Amino acid sequence: MCREQEKFWYKFALPLLQVTARTATCTTTPPPADGFFSTFVDNIRKRNALGDNFFFLENHSLACAPCIEMMEADQCCHNLHFVPPWKSMMRFIQMRNLIPPKQLGTFQTEVYGVLNIEVASYFPKKLVDAMQSRTRHARSFESKKIPTVFVAIDPAGHAVSEMGICASCICPDTGMVLLLGMASVSVAQAEVSHIQALVTVFLRRLRRHPNVHKLSPLVPIVECNNNEVFAMSIVRVFQQFKPVWMPFTHGRFKTHIVDGIGVTTTHDNKQAMVQQIYSHLIDGRIVISASAVTCCRSDLDSRLTAVPLSDNVQLLADQLKRVKDHEDGTISGKTQSGDNDDLAMSLMLLVYWSLTVRATEPNC
């Protein structure tokens, strides 16, 4: 389904199901793995597992679930009894032998009926899951060195987007990247003052984190691609929580920065960001603090429900798993069904630029 069909489903078709005994059947041609239909089916599968059977999922596939899970759908022989008598078993084998490896996914979808083929992400699921499940860091630092705290902010790119925030420091005892906080906040119809207020809440809580020393300098890493004036309005909030260090100056960096404000993202340095995150995931160098902080719209409006940190951790993991090459040549975790990648992008900014800053100032 395209975005217009998705909108039709939620605004017209789904509300009709509140009428008793009304039935809806959702069918489609083989969907993209990150499209609306695939996402919708995956959510139904999760709800069914929890005992919620508002929708029943029936997948008539020629490959069984265990073989699909092991990525061997085309080798599966457990459901071949579903093949109707007018189809030739020999032709299945002959067709399979003609398929080049890069077209195997399409073959499995079209012929075997395999839904939800895993997206070819830069960050493998097992590495992201390992980061997510790693024991939370709950110790105080034994070293007397005052840690520098980096705070990366990916501002909203348009009116209905989200703002991603990630904060970290380097554990002086282990060298691990300790995530001190994270947040993904919808800024639809939000004014600059609202965004500044949310950043203020986040930084105030960050300053109270047990692993943040009162003399720890905060380093703002704010992306300036869309609006330098807007980025500056965010950077100014940091001055309320001194000490603050602004390393992004022309005296230190020649490219990819806006003097005294923040950083810019290009295709080249985004590739470098991907490489750094991948390296950190392989080495298991990213750990989440047990006292990690967050913020959300409920901090400004008590009528709203607070978003727990666990939701942000899950969102970060989901977004990382979606980061891939797109047909237009960009690298992104955004999907056809409208999912954003702001939190994953803020982590990528955080790891890459904190490493770059530390390379210019080894003692930070």
Side-chain angles (χ1 to χ4, degrees), residues 2-253:
C2 67
R3 292 299 301 278
E4 289 302 318
Q5 291 171 311
E6 176 185 357
K7 195 176 299 183
F8 170 82
W9 168 255
Y10 285 118
K11 296 182 71 172
F12 177 75
L14 186 60
L16 293 178
L17 296 179
Q18 64 184 303
V19 180
T20 304
R22 190 177 293 273
T23 302
T25 301
C26 301
T27 60
T28 183
T29 54
D34 60 355
F36 165 71
F37 191 89
S38 179
T39 302
F40 184 64
V41 166
D42 189 49
N43 286 334
I44 292 175
R45 185 182 291 113
K46 292 177 181 178
R47 297 308 305 174
N48 286 171
L50 295 173
D52 180 353
N53 293 313
F54 185 82
F55 281 103
F56 287 95
L57 178 63
E58 291 189 17
N59 181 16
H60 299 287
S61 171
L62 289 181
C64 66
C67 286
I68 294 175
E69 183 71 21
M70 293 186 294
M71 305 297 290
E72 296 181 353
D74 59 305
Q75 302 294 330
C76 179
C77 61
H78 304 110
N79 285 350
L80 293 181
H81 57 281
F82 289 142
V83 178
W86 59 84
K87 287 191 175 182
S88 169
M89 293 292 296
M90 186 62 67
R91 283 185 177 272
F92 273 105
I93 299 174
Q94 292 173 330
M95 289 168 60
R96 170 63 182 84
N97 293 336
L98 291 173
I99 296 296
K102 67 178 182 179
Q103 297 297 332
L104 185 58
T106 302
F107 176 78
Q108 291 177 346
T109 301
E110 297 282 356
V111 177
Y112 283 83
V114 177
L115 290 177
N116 197 28
I117 297 176
E118 187 175 351
V119 177
S121 168
Y122 275 110
F123 311 125
K125 179 178 182 297
K126 63 179 181 180
L127 295 181
V128 178
D129 288 344
M131 179 200 73
Q132 186 180 2
S133 61
R134 191 166 295 123
T135 303
R136 301 292 189 260
H137 184 281
R139 304 186 307 275
S140 59
F141 296 149
E142 296 178 6
S143 172
K144 300 300 181 182
K145 181 180 179 181
I146 296 175
T148 299
V149 177
F150 298 89
V151 184
I153 299 180
D154 178 29
H158 43 83
V160 294
S161 186
E162 280 81 38
M163 174 176 65
I165 309 175
C166 267
S168 77
C169 68
I170 301 298
C171 295
D173 309 313
T174 63
M176 298 283 282
V177 175
L178 177 62
L179 294 185
L180 303 170
M182 65 186 74
S184 176
V185 186
S186 172
V187 293
Q189 300 179 344
E191 297 179 357
V192 173
S193 59
H194 296 158
I195 295 171
Q196 289 178 314
L198 286 166
V199 175
T200 298
V201 170
F202 185 86
L203 295 180
R204 182 181 299 118
R205 291 172 179 168
L206 184 64
R207 270 295 179 200
R208 297 170 182 166
H209 191 284
N211 290 124
V212 177
H213 193 277
K214 64 180 180 179
L215 296 179
S216 289
L218 301 185
V219 178
I221 305 173
V222 182
E223 189 187 59
C224 303
N225 282 41
N226 298 301
N227 191 323
E228 293 179 14
V229 175
F230 181 39
M232 174 55 81
S233 69
I234 294 176
V235 172
R236 284 176 177 164
V237 176
F238 282 75
Q239 296 305 317
Q240 304 173 39
F241 303 93
K242 295 179 179 179
V244 176
W245 178 36
M246 170 51 70
F248 303 112
T249 62
H250 287 316
R252 191 180 296 269
F253 294 97

